[in-house]
Amino acid sequence: MKFEIHPTASPTSDKDRTAKLADPGFGRVFTDHMAIVRYNQAKGWHDARVESRANFPLDPALAVLHYAQEIFEGLKAYKRDDGGVNLFRPDANARRFRSSADRMAMAQLPEAVFIEAVEQLVRIDRAWIPGGEGSLYLRPFMIASEVFLGVKPSAEYIFAVIASPVGSYFKGGPAPVSIWVSENYTRAAVGGTGAVKCGGNYAASLRAQAEAIEHGCDQVVFLDAVERRYVEELGGMNIFFVFEDGSLSTPPLGTILPGITRDSIIQLAKDAGKQVREEAYTIEQWRADAASGKLKEAFACGTAAVISPIGKVRSGSGDFLINGGAAGPVAMGLRKQLVDIQYGRTNDPHDWIVKVF
Ligand SMILES: *Cc1c(COP(=O)(O)O)cnc(C)c1O
């Protein structure tokens, strides 16, 4: 699909952009452009453009505003030391986006169009990619854009990609996070949308996340919806456990989001000869293994923060520490390995990197 490129008539000045890039934080600073592709049943996917970032006209009866047919992705562009730019496994995001669309009864965007939209936006907004440990966070998303209040899959969609420069998620290395075990709320049940990257999952997780904050924790961890025992994942990150025999385990796919970071960590750990089990693990076992010393580390993972060590677990039945509350060597080693691949500082044995420049 050919994108029409319409550079903005009023780009941010070099001075203003430099000021914004000095301390971008997360998700509040945006680049000058967006990529956009439209869908309707008559024309299919059409009108692919890169243009000035601007408001969408929102009819109050737009389907997404009422029935939440919305999906998204998250990936990053990384600046290499030689000045070039890497994407990390964009094909995996494109594939997941298609399967999310399928589950939400939305039109499926061809993977090549997804990747082209991302690459075009990175090309035109290249000057917005921070150096050092920063990156350009890319947010592809799709909304149901038919103007109709009937409950049915929308006949029209807007796919767009926006971009936001982000600093290093953790200044001075990742600090261990504390997590709150949600006993009142669950995230996903079998047959539901747990494996889909849809905004609705996040809406439903915010009350539990607020409860985590009220209990002095950084993040919430959800248990399975049936037995309320098996650890599933955090609000927006997958989870791994590291044992004294050197093996790792992570909850199996099904009701959790199939994270690309999760998949990459499984591969890197296996490359290093470690045993990795995708298996159910209960909160009781977690507590017992932390107490006995069988469990050495736990960490959360996702595109935004890469790997966050988990230092403390808090629940209605008491707290426990992991690795004395400190970051452990396995989490930190895997983190460095992954980050080095993303920034092109090391070889890329699985061909995960796509060079945009
Ligand atoms: C996006 C997401 C993740 C992490 O996925 P990555 O592909 O590794 O960024 C984990 N859990 C949820 C609920 C998510 O939405």
Side-chain angles (χ1 to χ4, degrees):
M1 177 168 268
K2 184 99 183 80
F3 280 73
E4 272 184 38
I5 311 290
H6 300 273
T8 180
S10 48
T12 306
S13 70
D14 288 351
K15 183 166 166 282
D16 286 355
R17 191 181 58 246
T18 305
K20 287 183 174 187
L21 288 178
D23 187 17
F26 183 86
R28 289 194 193 276
V29 173
F30 298 99
T31 65
D32 287 325
H33 298 89
M34 63 182 184
I36 180 160
V37 189
R38 291 168 193 277
Y39 175 91
N40 65 34
Q41 281 172 344
K43 293 192 199 166
W45 290 102
H46 66 281
D47 207 6
R49 294 163 68 92
V50 175
E51 58 190 30
S52 289
R53 188 178 176 282
N55 292 348
F56 291 143
L58 286 183
D59 188 289
L62 209 67
V64 65
L65 301 178
H66 301 273
Y67 310 122
Q69 249 192 319
E70 188 272 353
I71 57 172
F72 65 96
E73 273 300 327
L75 71 165
K76 289 171 165 178
Y78 307 87
K79 193 183 272 182
R80 298 192 305 272
D81 289 340
D82 68 6
V85 177
N86 286 351
L87 293 171
F88 182 71
R89 305 187 70 180
D91 52 312
N93 295 96
R95 223 167 22 248
R96 187 169 67 189
F97 198 66
R98 273 179 73 90
S99 70
S100 291
D102 182 44
R103 176 63 182 83
M104 302 298 278
M106 301 170 84
Q108 286 178 273
L109 183 73
E111 288 163 30
V113 179
F114 178 103
I115 294 170
E116 182 70 15
V118 166
E119 290 190 0
Q120 291 287 0
L121 185 62
V122 169
R123 280 193 199 111
I124 200 165
D125 282 333
R126 178 179 191 173
W128 286 91
I129 308 174
E133 294 297 308
S135 56
L136 185 65
Y137 184 79
L138 298 153
R139 168 54 61 87
F141 64 102
M142 178 163 47
I143 59 171
S145 54
E146 186 177 357
V147 178
F148 181 51
L149 290 183
V151 179
K152 66 155 188 84
S154 175
E156 296 172 23
Y157 296 93
I158 296 172
F159 167 72
V161 189
I162 55 174
S164 173
V166 296
S168 171
Y169 203 83
F170 301 102
K171 294 199 166 51
V177 295
S178 55
I179 62 175
W180 168 251
V181 182
S182 184
E183 281 158 354
N184 293 324
Y185 305 101
T186 60
R187 181 181 170 277
V190 174
T193 59
V196 175
K197 220 164 167 72
C198 63
N201 285 346
Y202 279 74
S205 76
L206 296 178
R207 187 64 194 83
Q209 174 63 25
E211 206 180 74
I213 305 282
E214 283 160 23
H215 287 88
C217 293
D218 300 306
Q219 298 275 330
V220 61
V221 64
F222 290 101
L223 303 177
D224 77 283
V226 177
E227 296 192 43
R228 305 286 191 100
R229 297 174 64 206
Y230 297 104
V231 178
E232 296 232 309
E233 64 170 314
L234 279 59
M237 288 197 269
N238 296 119
I239 191 166
F240 278 83
F241 307 96
V242 182
F243 297 91
E244 66 180 343
D245 66 1
S247 67
L248 283 79
S249 91
T250 190
L253 297 180
T255 51
I256 63 168
L257 200 286
I260 296 162
T261 317
R262 173 188 179 280
D263 183 72
S264 306
I265 288 168
I266 291 173
Q267 298 220 34
L268 291 177
K270 286 183 176 169
D271 290 351
K274 292 181 192 292
Q275 191 197 111
V276 185
R277 294 178 303 276
E278 295 179 63
E279 99 189 343
Y281 191 60
T282 64
I283 181 72
E284 299 94 340
Q285 194 66 45
W286 188 5
R287 187 189 299 272
D289 289 346
S292 73
K294 188 173 168 214
L295 181 85
K296 288 298 182 199
E297 301 178 34
F299 61 86
C301 68
T303 296
V306 193
I307 286 180
S308 300
I310 296 170
K312 183 159 107 178
V313 182
R314 171 166 282 188
S315 75
S317 32
D319 297 359
F320 58 96
L321 289 181
I322 297 159
N323 193 35
V330 175
M332 299 308 286
L334 284 164
R335 179 175 210 283
K336 178 169 189 320
Q337 232 185 318
L338 203 50
V339 169
D340 282 350
I341 293 173
Q342 289 166 339
Y343 284 88
R345 296 179 198 132
T346 183
N347 66 334
D348 171 24
H350 299 285
D351 286 332
W352 284 336
I353 293 303
V354 171
K355 290 185 176 181
V356 182
F357 289 103

